[in-house]
Amino acid sequence: MTIVPSEVFSAEIPGRVLAGKVDVGVALHPEPMRGVRSEPLRIEPLVLLVGKRHRLADQSLVPLASLENETLLLFPRELAPAYYDHIIAACEQAGFEPRVTAFPDPPPQAMVARLPAGREICLAPVSFALHAAAAEPNVLARTIAQPGIQAEWSILWPARARSAAIARFLDSARRCARENNWLHPPDEPTRAASEAPSPARL
């Protein structure tokens, strides 16, 4: 098995799997595509990333509605349509339409690098956010109060795959999800950025 680390947005991953460029992919809220199978692998909350000078930096638990007048850094919708819509819908359910700043081809680290100025915010899955905050001393991760926003990662593979290696990989991924309780997010708000989770074994 070869792991190919690359920054590819969710909208591209099903097509790469279908074209045979990768055997297995993991994506946030992927769009259905004929010829590609998928199943949920992990559910985790989004958390708020802010600079230390931001007005919300001192709050350990942030209501989603308190982001109403903030500028949200987000990727262009076409890069992950279902995930983008999921975030916007959650904000609208909290009573506001977010003010979004999106820019083409944004690597996640580039968005994090803008946060220390204190003028913008970012919402990110907790598994990424805690590591990003630990790596950037002027950025903090803050828990979104319940009900918050849940992100769903799915694993994708070719529908006609007959590879024993793919089958073993899928079995390992499912076992990892069960053992780490990835599909049953905790009822309590997630911890703040003081501790980053250790990588799970796959």
Side-chain angles (χ1 to χ4, degrees), residues 61-96:
L61 189 63
V62 179
L64 188 58
S66 67
L67 307 184
E68 180 174 2
N69 296 314
E70 299 295 335
T71 298
L72 175 63
L73 292 178
L74 206 56
F75 48 87
R77 182 181 180 276
E78 60 268 21
L79 297 181
Y83 181 41
Y84 184 103
D85 291 347
H86 181 62
I87 293 172
I88 299 301
C91 293
E92 291 174 345
Q93 289 174 6
F96 70 99

Side-chain angles (χ1 to χ4, degrees), residues 2-76:
T2 301
I3 303 297
V4 182
S6 59
E7 292 182 353
V8 179
F9 278 86
S10 294
E12 301 176 51
I13 294 175
R16 290 189 173 217
V17 171
L18 186 63
K21 294 180 179 179
V22 295
D23 294 312
V24 177
V26 177
L28 279 164
H29 298 265
E31 297 285 336
M33 178 175 286
R34 187 174 182 178
V36 176
R37 298 187 64 183
S38 69
E39 65 182 61
L41 179 67
R42 179 172 183 158
I43 298 173
E44 61 177 337
L46 297 188
V47 300
L48 177 67
L49 286 171
V50 295
K52 283 188 174 181
R53 295 190 292 174
H54 193 276
R55 68 178 184 88
L56 297 173
D58 292 333
Q59 297 189 32
S60 59
L61 189 63
V62 179
L64 188 58
S66 67
L67 307 184
E68 180 174 2
N69 296 314
E70 299 295 335
T71 298
L72 175 63
L73 292 178
L74 206 56
F75 48 87

Side-chain angles (χ1 to χ4, degrees), residues 14 31 42 60 73 145 162 168 186 188 190 194:
E31 297 285 336
R42 179 172 183 158
S60 59
L73 292 178
R162 296 293 182 268
R168 289 195 299 269
E188 294 300 318
T190 187
S194 58

Side-chain angles (χ1 to χ4, degrees), residues 93-175:
Q93 289 174 6
F96 70 99
E97 184 174 342
R99 184 171 65 229
V100 174
T101 293
F103 42 96
D105 194 25
Q109 291 80 3
M111 289 193 279
V112 173
R114 293 169 61 119
L115 298 177
R119 295 186 295 270
E120 298 160 316
I121 63 171
C122 183
L123 293 170
V126 64
S127 58
F128 168 80
L130 296 186
H131 287 288
E136 172 51 68
N138 293 313
V139 171
L140 301 171
R142 291 295 178 249
T143 300
I144 300 294
Q146 295 291 343
I149 308 175
Q150 299 295 324
E152 183 176 290
W153 296 89
S154 292
I155 190 166
L156 300 88
W157 69 97
R160 296 184 178 180
R162 296 293 182 268
S163 166
I166 291 178
R168 289 195 299 269
F169 185 88
L170 294 173
D171 287 343
S172 295
R174 292 167 181 141
R175 184 181 67 252

